[in-house]
Amino acid sequence: MFLRATTRKKDGKKHRYFSVVESRRVSGGRVLQRHVLYLGEINSSQELAWRRSIEVLDEATQAPRTLALFPEDRCEGIAPDESIVRLKLSQLRLARPRQWGACWLAVKLWQSLELDRFWAERLTPSRKHTRWNHVLLVLVVYRLLSPGSEWRLYRHWFEQSALADLLGGDGALADIHALYTCHDRLLEHKEALFEHLVGRWRDLFNARFDILLYDLTSTYFESDPPADDEDKRRHGYSRDHRPDCVQVVIALVVTPEGFPLAYEVLAGNTRDCTTLKDFLARIERQYGKARRVWCMDRGIPTEETLALMRASDPPVHYLVGTPKGRLTRLEQALLEKPWHIARPEVRVKLLAQDAELYVFAESRDRVAKERSMRRRQLKWLWQRLNKLSTMELTRDELLMKLGAAKTKAPGAWRLVEVEVQAKIEAEVPKKDASFTYRLDRNKLRQVRRREGRYLLRTNLTESDPAKLWEFYLQLVEVEAAFRTLKGDLAIRPIFHQDEQRIEAHIFIAFLAYCLHVTLGQQLKSHAPGLTPRAVLEKFAAVQMIDVQIPTTDGRELQLTRYTQPESELMLLLDKLRITLPAQAPPKITAAQAATATPV
């Protein structure tokens, strides 16, 4: 194996991206190179560490050895002894292949956060000896590795995983009734879990919680609205572009590193601007008053909430985006202010007004990106309008096609003035509807001036432009959390119909995200481009199988073994400082016995 560097020029800068590549010799003397791991853009010390690890791994490779196996018919001359077991190697069977590696890693992450101890104290076994803490672990690992419905977990996935072996349990851990009942036991422990996780992330990663990122998203249900007026499933503004479905809103607070601090499930018709006040009080009540900076997007805080944040003792600091209308109002005052260099390719203007500091930021990279997006949309719309102008359409057909074009390119549509021919219906021939269109150059100039430019407002006394811009950029972490919940962890669709179980489903997805972000944090110091999903897929390649060998006296020797990891996984284990457990001891059973005796 070796490191391969790829150079890519982006926005006028050169970036080097690294991957681990393995060379393999195949038939015909040819050599094939296989991509093993994508590491992303790593620094020189990280590159050196990976090269050393690869060298050590290659030096430890041993040549294959040939083993001689003798079947039971070649044991002549051996004195009979009860300790001697003659194996029928010709009847050796490999049974029950199941996924072991990713399940084992998920359990390790669970234990590193001490969630095994936390839940063992709160989810005690039932009178029927149902181990609820293990049932919850099964639900969380399933959500992390292969998310789907509880019915799929019960019917298929659990038997194809090695969780029963890892937890010392059996199929009862995935009984369909136990899976649903476990949901009913979780929500009362939500506040205690938040406090526990904050402590663990402090211990493991020295995490700080003085900067908090707050945002909201929604997730929908393909079901009819509930009859109960108190139910949280409601129609509202859908961020999933499914206004036809009822939904709930999820409010989430995370740190710049992605560690979730708290979340809340709200009614689907909740307005963003009504949520912040309650969340501020909740965080203060749970974690006490401290100097925290809240970063939010525009539309979340109201003027009343911001005034309360400034008036509190001590003041609650904030950095928020502002609507574009405020930029229009302050544009003349900002023109008189000088530019400050916040970081390469980013410059800002600072304007103090009304006990607040306004930060007008311009990013050259963002200007180029937004300008390219706008040009692409406008080019497509112009071509589409030109094509429509040559078609013979009725008025209704024309209006429908114009509406479709507007939906596909809404940003570009605002820059074009479209006027459909207005005539009395009787005067318009059946296939002779027409329209005119032209570019609004005044709007285009205004859009060009504002591309890649943002107006932020804050009550921070911190006047360093670079720091203020850095705070705001960290909002991408909360957006990344939502993408993970909806993408990797597939929080939607939600199959439950009971409101408490709907919230418990989101709670389980939150726990899975905690494991995901913990693994991601462990990877950051080695390769920023190495994602938790990529690592889980590598570990998933390690399978567990039962090697069953019958004996001449009617017994059966069973060896439960996980497969040997490939070289790239051994490299990952070395970087993460993880050691695989020892293989399970073999067991021998009597032909008619129900239990096995360790050998």
Side-chain angles (χ1 to χ4, degrees), residues 236-434:
Y237 169 66
S238 176
R239 295 160 177 85
D240 301 316
H241 308 292
R242 290 298 303 270
D244 57 312
C245 298
V246 291
Q247 63 180 18
V248 293
V249 170
I250 303 174
L252 179 66
V253 177
V254 302
T255 68
E257 294 79 19
F259 296 124
L261 190 65
Y263 81 93
E264 193 58 67
V265 180
L266 308 168
N269 57 358
T270 302
R271 295 171 57 201
D272 292 1
C273 61
T274 63
T275 63
L276 180 60
K277 187 176 179 180
D278 291 338
F279 235 105
L280 290 171
R282 174 179 173 175
I283 295 297
E284 184 176 297
R285 183 173 61 253
Q286 187 166 2
Y287 301 106
K289 291 186 176 182
R291 187 184 184 276
R292 300 188 183 96
V293 180
W294 288 76
C295 295
M296 298 160 283
D297 217 339
R298 64 172 184 256
I300 293 179
T302 62
E303 291 296 330
E304 178 189 359
T305 307
L306 293 178
L308 289 174
M309 294 173 76
R310 291 192 296 268
S312 63
D313 186 23
V316 179
H317 297 298
Y318 58 82
L319 177 67
V320 301
T322 62
K324 292 188 176 180
R326 189 174 292 267
L327 176 57
T328 303
R329 196 160 67 243
L330 299 175
E331 197 166 18
Q332 190 60 42
L334 287 168
L335 286 174
E336 301 170 1
K337 297 294 181 181
W339 287 105
H340 302 275
I341 302 300
R343 55 193 295 185
E345 310 299 327
V346 176
R347 57 180 187 168
V348 301
K349 290 185 177 184
L350 304 178
L351 174 64
Q353 193 173 93
D354 301 329
E356 289 184 309
L357 180 67
Y358 287 90
V359 184
F360 181 62
E362 177 190 85
S363 169
R364 291 184 186 176
D365 292 341
R366 191 68 190 179
V367 167
K369 181 177 180 179
E370 292 185 8
R371 191 158 291 172
S372 174
M373 292 167 59
R374 187 255 306 159
R375 285 172 176 167
R376 186 165 58 249
Q377 275 198 19
L378 190 56
K379 181 180 179 181
W380 176 88
L381 179 62
W382 201 259
Q383 291 175 345
R384 180 60 178 165
L385 292 175
N386 183 51
K387 187 174 182 180
L388 290 177
S389 66
T390 63
M391 295 182 180
E392 293 185 357
L393 301 169
T394 65
R395 183 180 178 84
D396 289 344
E397 290 173 342
L398 175 62
L399 292 176
M400 289 179 64
K401 291 185 181 295
L402 289 175
K406 178 181 178 181
T407 302
K408 186 170 182 179
W413 184 271
R414 290 191 287 268
L415 305 178
V416 178
E417 291 184 357
V418 178
E419 185 177 350
V420 179
Q421 183 181 23
K423 289 185 178 180
I424 301 174
E425 189 67 25
E427 298 178 2
V428 181
K430 189 174 182 181
K431 293 287 184 179
D432 193 24
S434 62

Side-chain angles (χ1 to χ4, degrees), residues 554-593:
R555 293 183 292 173
E556 184 176 83
L557 180 68
Q558 178 170 303
L559 299 93
T560 300
R561 293 288 183 269
Y562 58 80
T563 57
Q564 181 66 24
E566 295 290 338
S567 55
E568 62 265 26
L569 185 54
M570 294 297 295
L571 180 62
L572 270 177
L573 289 166
D574 175 67
K575 300 301 294 184
L576 295 174
R577 294 181 176 85
I578 298 177
T579 304
L580 293 177
Q583 299 277 13
K587 297 179 180 179
I588 192 166
T589 63
Q592 303 300 324

Side-chain angles (χ1 to χ4, degrees), residues 125-198:
S126 68
R127 288 181 297 175
K128 294 183 179 180
H129 308 292
T130 302
R131 302 173 70 179
W132 296 113
N133 58 326
H134 284 181
V135 176
L136 174 59
L137 177 55
V138 170
L139 285 164
V140 173
V141 173
Y142 174 60
R143 181 60 45 188
L144 177 67
L145 303 183
S146 181
S149 68
E150 282 73 13
W151 182 251
R152 174 173 169 266
L153 166 60
Y154 161 67
R155 288 294 301 272
H156 303 290
W157 188 82
F158 185 78
E159 290 300 322
Q160 297 171 0
S161 76
L163 279 177
D165 304 88
L166 291 167
L167 301 178
D170 53 26
L173 292 175
D175 175 72
I176 190 64
H177 300 292
L179 295 176
Y180 284 125
T181 305
C182 184
H183 285 68
D184 303 331
R185 300 168 177 260
L186 303 178
L187 296 180
E188 60 185 292
H189 307 295
K190 190 164 71 169
E191 303 297 330
L193 175 70
F194 295 158
E195 294 182 7
H196 173 82
L197 290 171
V198 167

